[in-house]
Amino acid sequence: MRRNRLVVQGAEELPQVAYTGPLSNYLESVEGAAESGNIVISTVDKGQEDDVYVVHLPGLDPEAVTPGSADRSSGRGALTTTDAFFNDAERLGDAVLEALRQQGAPAGASVVLTGHSQGGLAAVKLADGSSAVSQKYSVKHTATARRRGHISPQPHQPHQRPHQHPVPKLGGGFNGVSSDRHEYRYDYRRPEEAAEDSDSGPLDFLSHDYGHNVEGIRSTESDPHGELSDEDRMNLDELEALLRGSASVTAYDTGWEPVP
């Protein structure tokens, strides 16, 4: 790890989009953009207020770690996973800083971090106040899908983690929730999966799927069983307000290179 660095190798401007709804709508919109790069940044125009920069970090690229054809230079491969788990995503943080610089984000700008799988773990690490990203920018929220691992204290940090049950369910007391951090987890299983065999046990592969997570988050947001507290709803509304608006989107390609 010390002899390698993660660098931004290119950028692709994508069509402008309008984020018009809650977190699930944003995650659904950004999924296609993630196919074009390893860091996706949306500059959300807030009108008379300062822009908000929403950083999305996709999950592991399975092709980059396929035995026999593994690509160690991939920005979404094994080295990035190692960086997230054992290095507090420091190298990825360097690449995010460079991408934000290229995006035109000024120091102190409002940033939202989102991610799926290993990208979600990295988002939580970068939201920690000791990270270079948090020291340069004002990280307002993080939102992760199927993120495993350590959570560091960060105000208003919605975290979605799926479990296999037919209905969404929210609960506290998970991963050290404290007064300065608000966290959600949801229990969700697609109705057809629950109907097919309610006793089949966890379908971990399906629960990890990005689309499955978006469905679970959307079901939680609709709150059909009245599980959301007033504070839950306030935090979700805060996040939705940050995401809402017309956005210029850029996908940044990254790769690992030896340190000269």
Side-chain angles (χ1 to χ4, degrees):
M1 184 66 64
R2 293 178 182 176
R3 294 174 292 180
N4 294 276
R5 61 182 180 180
L6 185 65
V7 298
V8 174
Q9 298 176 327
E12 180 182 349
E13 292 187 13
L14 301 176
Q16 194 166 34
V17 298
Y19 299 135
T20 58
L23 172 62
S24 57
N25 287 18
Y26 159 77
L27 291 173
E28 190 171 59
S29 297
V30 84
E31 180 180 12
E35 296 176 1
S36 299
N38 303 324
I39 299 172
V40 179
I41 301 182
S42 304
T43 302
V44 183
D45 183 354
K46 307 304 289 185
Q48 298 299 316
E49 301 177 8
D50 293 336
D51 293 340
V52 173
Y53 297 84
V54 188
V55 179
H56 182 69
L57 304 173
L60 179 73
D61 178 4
E63 294 184 2
V65 293
T66 301
S69 61
D71 181 5
R72 284 180 55 84
S73 67
S74 171
R76 288 168 57 190
L79 284 179
T80 306
T81 300
T82 302
D83 182 51
F85 273 97
F86 303 109
N87 196 42
D88 290 333
E90 183 178 325
R91 299 294 186 268
L92 178 56
D94 292 339
V96 168
L97 285 173
E98 174 58 20
L100 282 166
R101 185 193 69 79
Q102 292 188 27
Q103 192 78 3
S110 295
V111 168
V112 175
L113 297 168
T114 71
H116 172 235
S117 188
Q118 77 169 16
L121 171 59
V124 171
K125 296 292 183 74
L126 297 182
D128 184 271
S130 63
S131 79
V133 172
S134 287
Q135 289 178 8
K136 183 170 182 178
Y137 297 103
S138 177
V139 178
K140 299 296 186 182
H141 273 264
T142 63
T144 73
R146 195 52 171 163
R147 200 271 315 144
R148 294 179 182 272
H150 175 65
I151 292 181
S152 300
Q154 176 68 21
H156 305 310
Q157 185 167 274
H159 161 63
Q160 278 78 23
R161 181 176 182 174
H163 295 266
Q164 297 302 330
H165 296 282
V167 297
K169 188 162 96 178
L170 296 171
F174 178 68
N175 280 338
V177 176
S178 64
S179 60
D180 68 348
R181 183 174 74 256
H182 202 75
E183 181 177 286
Y184 320 101
R185 69 171 181 171
Y186 63 84
D187 293 337
Y188 177 75
R189 192 173 186 180
R190 288 178 174 132
E192 62 270 22
E193 293 167 6
E196 194 173 293
D197 185 357
S198 60
D199 298 320
S200 60
L203 302 175
D204 195 59
F205 178 79
L206 291 175
S207 71
H208 196 90
D209 176 73
Y210 188 86
H212 182 277
N213 278 272
V214 172
E215 288 180 25
I217 293 168
R218 179 172 289 119
S219 182
T220 299
E221 290 165 338
S222 67
D223 193 25
H225 301 280
E227 299 276 358
L228 291 175
S229 68
D230 290 343
E231 187 177 9
D232 293 335
R233 180 55 63 191
M234 179 187 72
N235 279 271
L236 287 172
D237 288 347
E238 272 185 17
L239 178 55
E240 179 179 339
L242 288 166
L243 296 174
R244 187 181 295 273
S246 177
S248 301
V249 184
T250 305
Y252 293 89
D253 190 28
T254 60
W256 288 89
E257 296 179 353
V259 174

